[in-house]
């Protein structure tokens, strides 16, 4: 809540931003100050935020008046030092003020109330909310393709991060990994120029997930992909190796066990690779837009294959992809329904796939019905149903 002298603004007009009028009422030199938090609501893993004040130069004092749920978790000094938490700090309009947070490991949302008092006597209250602990908190809103999370006793959700030659430290891909089947139900990832350029050679770095990033997926629940399956089936990538050619480290992650599925060799080397190549072609022709992809497996029965080391691995009856892209370089959640393009592809995991790619095209909604997963949870409610209903192969040059 902000405090005004005989002046009230409707809350809907400036939601999330507090405006303060400085100076005496009725004077000719009244000025406007805007004060806000970088983010009013953050997830449980967020450890920093900022107070932003914009307007005429003047000093202010920010004070953390209260913070609920347990011990102090919000401070103006870093918790990584031996300095005691700092609950009040002086600042200057135009210079961002850092806030430091502890990760929230509780099952409750917690709030901190911060009062910002300016040199002219006006003040504003800011409320910072940090979400309760969630194992999927790092699945960010910007990740346009992210499916809704479906609970399963054998599921582990994990995101792998990497540093690109162009683009810095980013996510590589996310998985919904099944420790019983030793196969991911889905792998979700973005495709942009930065992930594929400058091109390096394929690493063939077949390996377990080394668990250098959390959460851990114990090796005993993975398949030793350095060996073939022993059945003549291919080690099929869900995120293609050729979609991650920025550098060797990024490419090597595509050879983790968690990204590999058993695929019929004819299927893997035929229509499946044709689809992967087509998606890259579409990406190159729409270079301003990110293509969001979810690749996955479906298990109609309870078939397993046995690897050479005796490990049992679930054998998918079907493999699929769902695709989403925006247009005009806009973020997908800023696009209207007619500016978004969505499609799905559904294949039997056998040698029967000899038709054109167009024959396997379907709607995202159809694949949701088949798999039980719901996709694109970050799209606005007003556009998502229309996009999921699309099945227009021509939008994808098919």
């Amino acid at each position: 809540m902000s405090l005004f002298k005989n002046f009230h603004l409707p809350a809907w007009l400036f939601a999330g931003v507090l405006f303060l009028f400085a100076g005496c009422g009725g004077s000719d030199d009244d000025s406007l100050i805007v004060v806000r938090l970088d983010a009013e609501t953050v997830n449980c893993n967020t450890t920093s935020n900022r107070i932003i004040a914009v307007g005429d130069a003047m000093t202010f004092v920010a004070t953390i008046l209260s913070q609920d749920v347990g011990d102090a978790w919000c401070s103006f000094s870093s918790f990584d030092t031996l300095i005691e938490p700092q609950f009040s700090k002086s600042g200057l309009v135009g210079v961002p003020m850092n806030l430091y947070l502890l990760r929230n490991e509780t099952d409750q949302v917690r709030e901190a109330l911060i009062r910002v008092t300016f040199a002219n006597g006006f003040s504003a209250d800011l409320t910072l909310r940090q979400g309760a602990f969630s194992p999927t908190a790092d699945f960010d809103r910007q990740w346009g393709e992210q499916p809704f999370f479906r609970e399963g006793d054998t599921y582990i959700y994990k995101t792998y991060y990497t540093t690109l030659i162009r683009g810095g430290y980013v996510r590589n891909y996310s998985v919904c990994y099944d420790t019983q089947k030793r196969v991911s139900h889905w792998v979700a990832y973005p495709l942009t120029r930065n992930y594929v350029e400058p091109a390096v050679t394929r690493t063939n770095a077949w390996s377990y997930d080394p668990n250098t990033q959390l959460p851990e997926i114990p090796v005993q629940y993975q398949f030793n992909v350095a060996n073939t399956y022993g059945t003549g089936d291919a080690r099929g990538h869900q995120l293609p190796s050729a979609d991650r050619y920025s550098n060797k480290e990024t490419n090597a992650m595509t050879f983790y066990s968690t990204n590999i599925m058993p695929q019929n060799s004819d299927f893997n080397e035929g229509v499946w690779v044709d689809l992967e190549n087509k998606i890259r072609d579409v990406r190159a022709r729409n270079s301003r837009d990110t293509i969001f992809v979810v690749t996955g497996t479906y298990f109609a029965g309870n078939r397993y294959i046995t690897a050479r080391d005796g490990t049992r691995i679930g054998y998918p009856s079907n493999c699929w992809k769902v695709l989403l892209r925006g247009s005009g370089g806009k973020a997908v959640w800023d696009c209207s329904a007619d500016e978004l393009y969505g499609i799905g592809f559904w294949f039997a995991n056998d040698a029967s796939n000899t038709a054109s790619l167009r024959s396997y095209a379907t709607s995202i909604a159809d694949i949701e019905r088949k798999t039980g997963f719901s996709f694109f949870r970050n799209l606005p409610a007003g556009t998502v149903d229309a996009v999921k209903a699309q099945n227009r192969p021509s939008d994808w040059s098919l």
Side-chain angles (χ1 to χ4, degrees):
M1 163 177 103
S2 57
L3 304 179
F4 297 91
K5 181 186 292 185
N6 300 321
F7 191 92
H8 300 277
L9 295 175
W12 59 265
L13 185 57
F14 298 122
V17 180
L18 296 172
F19 290 78
L20 302 177
F21 284 89
C24 299
S27 68
D28 293 333
D29 60 352
D30 283 5
S31 58
L32 181 69
I33 296 174
V34 181
V35 59
R36 62 178 174 82
L37 290 165
D38 246 1
E40 294 180 323
T41 302
V42 298
N43 73 31
C44 63
N45 292 328
T46 301
T47 57
S48 64
N49 206 337
R50 297 189 304 171
I51 295 174
I52 308 293
V54 180
D56 284 358
M58 71 176 70
T59 59
F60 65 85
V61 175
T63 303
I64 302 171
L65 298 180
S66 64
Q67 43 188 315
D68 59 6
V69 186
D71 297 331
W73 55 271
C74 180
S75 169
F76 292 109
S77 59
S78 173
F79 288 96
D80 295 331
T81 68
L82 297 178
I83 301 173
E84 289 292 318
Q86 183 180 356
F87 303 124
S88 186
K89 187 175 181 180
S90 298
L92 181 66
V93 172
V95 180
M97 178 179 288
N98 291 328
L99 280 168
Y100 299 91
L101 318 177
L102 288 175
R103 289 181 172 86
N104 189 358
E105 298 179 352
T106 77
D107 60 359
Q108 300 178 59
V109 176
R110 56 192 186 186
E111 294 185 354
L113 178 62
I114 304 165
R115 178 161 295 168
V116 183
T117 303
F118 293 85
N120 63 3
F122 287 96
S123 66
D125 288 351
L126 306 173
T127 300
L128 170 62
R129 295 176 180 84
Q130 187 181 41
F133 173 77
S134 166
T136 59
D138 284 327
F139 288 79
D140 191 275
R141 177 180 181 268
Q142 296 182 40
W143 303 356
E145 83 289 348
Q146 287 298 308
F148 285 87
F149 304 113
R150 192 174 73 188
E151 294 300 321
D153 293 339
T154 62
Y155 293 178
I156 297 177
Y157 291 98
K158 183 169 184 174
T159 294
Y160 298 94
Y161 294 88
T162 189
T163 301
L164 303 179
I165 298 300
R166 298 170 176 160
Y169 188 70
V170 297
R171 66 187 173 114
N172 199 349
Y173 60 93
S174 306
V175 302
C176 171
Y177 187 74
D178 191 321
T179 57
Q180 180 180 24
K181 295 185 181 297
R182 295 182 171 86
V183 177
S184 288
H185 286 280
W186 53 254
V187 175
Y189 53 94
L191 181 57
T192 67
R193 176 185 177 186
N194 288 348
Y195 285 97
V196 297
E197 296 180 6
V200 299
T201 57
R202 176 182 168 113
T203 60
N204 285 317
W206 304 98
S207 74
Y208 296 109
D209 172 357
N211 287 316
T212 55
Q213 302 182 42
L214 296 177
E216 180 179 350
I217 299 178
V219 169
Q220 65 264 34
Y221 296 132
Q222 301 183 50
F223 160 59
N224 182 9
V225 289
N227 295 322
T228 59
Y229 292 110
T231 59
D233 290 286
R235 294 169 291 182
H237 283 69
Q238 297 205 47
L239 162 59
S241 165
D243 284 358
R244 292 297 186 264
Y245 274 176
S246 171
N247 54 54
K248 289 184 178 180
E249 292 76 16
T250 301
N251 183 261
M253 289 183 182
T254 70
F255 290 88
Y256 288 174
S257 173
T258 50
N259 185 48
I260 305 302
M261 57 184 166
Q263 279 188 319
N264 174 274
S265 294
D266 291 336
F267 167 45
N268 173 268
E269 297 168 9
V271 68
W272 186 255
V273 74
D274 290 344
L275 177 58
E276 293 174 340
N277 288 333
K278 175 58 67 176
I279 295 170
R280 284 189 286 274
D281 289 344
V282 173
R283 198 283 313 161
R285 285 195 296 271
N286 298 273
S287 59
R288 296 176 60 196
D289 302 311
T290 300
I291 297 181
F292 294 102
V293 187
V294 189
T295 306
T297 54
Y298 178 72
F299 301 86
N302 198 34
R303 180 183 173 187
Y304 282 78
I305 58 174
T306 303
R308 292 177 178 177
D309 62 0
T311 303
R312 296 179 73 246
I313 305 150
Y315 193 91
S317 58
N318 300 86
C319 302
W320 50 265
K321 285 185 184 286
V322 294
L323 311 175
L324 171 74
R325 67 179 174 89
S327 55
K330 297 168 64 175
V332 290
W333 48 85
D334 290 332
C335 292
S336 60
D338 58 1
E339 294 175 316
L340 291 169
Y341 302 94
I343 198 168
F345 293 88
W346 181 266
F347 304 91
N349 187 15
D350 57 36
S352 66
N353 302 289
T354 58
S356 67
L357 282 174
R358 177 181 282 263
S359 303
Y360 303 99
T362 187
S363 66
I364 296 168
D366 180 53
I367 293 183
E368 287 186 331
R369 287 189 291 270
K370 286 180 166 72
T371 64
F373 287 105
S374 296
F375 305 107
F376 308 123
R377 67 187 178 98
N378 291 325
L379 281 184
T383 63
V384 65
D385 289 342
V387 174
K388 289 181 179 182
Q390 291 180 14
N391 180 10
R392 302 192 300 258
S394 60
D395 289 343
W396 301 88
S397 301
L398 295 176

